[in-house]
């Protein structure tokens, strides 16, 4: 009410549209450097994640950056954490391939033994659209 009395009808609407928000932490050059760093090897030799990006940005900017903000930069650059699937240490690849081949052979034999559905009289049944002219 007070703002209407002071500014008139302009104060009635939502004034947040004039708020442009916070300035980005990184300029274009810093974003390019971050992308180049991420495409390389992580400092500890592992994979990049939100914490490692945050540590990198903390060193570059001189101000603390949260792990979540590091993850947001990874997502903004359309990158994601890629971790290979774990494998058993006693894996025998030849045995796995042999099992896959025998499994598909058994599946094909099983699938061919399943009868295909037909109508009771053995004739293809018409649909409702074929009956109506």
């Amino acid at each position: 009410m007070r703002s209407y009395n002071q500014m008139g009808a302009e104060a009635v609407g939502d004034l947040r549209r004039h708020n442009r928000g916070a300035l980005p932490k990184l300029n274009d050059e810093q974003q390019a450097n971050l992308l180049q760093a991420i495409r390389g090897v992580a400092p500890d030799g592992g994979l990049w994640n939100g914490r490692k990006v945050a540590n990198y940005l903390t060193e570059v900017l001189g101000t603390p950056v949260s792990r979540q903000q590091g993850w947001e930069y990874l997502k903004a650059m359309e990158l994601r954490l890629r971790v290979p699937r774990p494998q058993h240490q006693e894996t025998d690849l030849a045995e796995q391939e042999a099992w896959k081949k025998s499994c598909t052979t058994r599946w094909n034999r099983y699938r061919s033994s399943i009868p295909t559905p037909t109508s009771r009289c053995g004739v293809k049944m018409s649909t409702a659209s074929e009956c109506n002219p």
Side-chain angles (χ1 to χ4, degrees):
M1 187 73 159
R2 183 182 337 157
S3 59
Y4 177 77
N5 291 336
Q6 291 174 354
M7 296 173 45
E10 295 85 28
V12 175
D14 186 6
L15 299 178
R16 291 178 293 177
R17 65 181 170 180
H18 300 298
N19 183 4
R20 68 178 196 166
L23 295 174
K25 287 187 177 187
L26 300 178
N27 60 25
D28 293 337
E29 182 180 338
Q30 291 170 330
Q31 284 185 1
N33 290 339
L34 175 62
L35 183 60
Q36 185 178 9
I38 290 174
R39 287 189 174 157
V41 179
D44 64 350
L47 299 171
W48 284 94
N49 59 20
R51 169 57 55 204
K52 293 176 188 176
V53 172
N55 291 342
Y56 174 83
L57 291 175
T58 300
E59 290 177 16
V60 170
L61 299 175
T63 59
V65 177
S66 69
R67 177 186 55 83
Q68 181 63 35
Q69 187 67 44
W71 178 247
E72 294 296 328
Y73 275 110
L74 275 176
K75 288 194 318 184
M77 293 182 179
E78 297 180 0
L79 300 172
R80 60 189 172 124
L81 179 63
R82 293 190 177 139
V83 179
R85 293 190 66 172
Q87 291 187 350
H88 196 274
Q89 292 152 358
E90 299 175 8
T91 302
D92 183 12
L93 296 177
E95 185 178 339
Q96 287 180 0
E97 290 300 321
W99 183 83
K100 287 179 188 177
K101 288 179 184 177
S102 68
C103 183
T104 56
T105 305
R106 281 182 280 160
W107 168 249
N108 289 337
R109 249 187 280 135
Y110 172 74
R111 189 172 51 175
S112 65
S113 68
I114 298 173
T116 56
T118 58
S119 65
R120 291 183 193 161
C121 63
V123 179
K124 180 183 170 189
M125 300 182 73
S126 64
T127 60
S129 61
E130 292 174 353
C131 295
N132 297 332

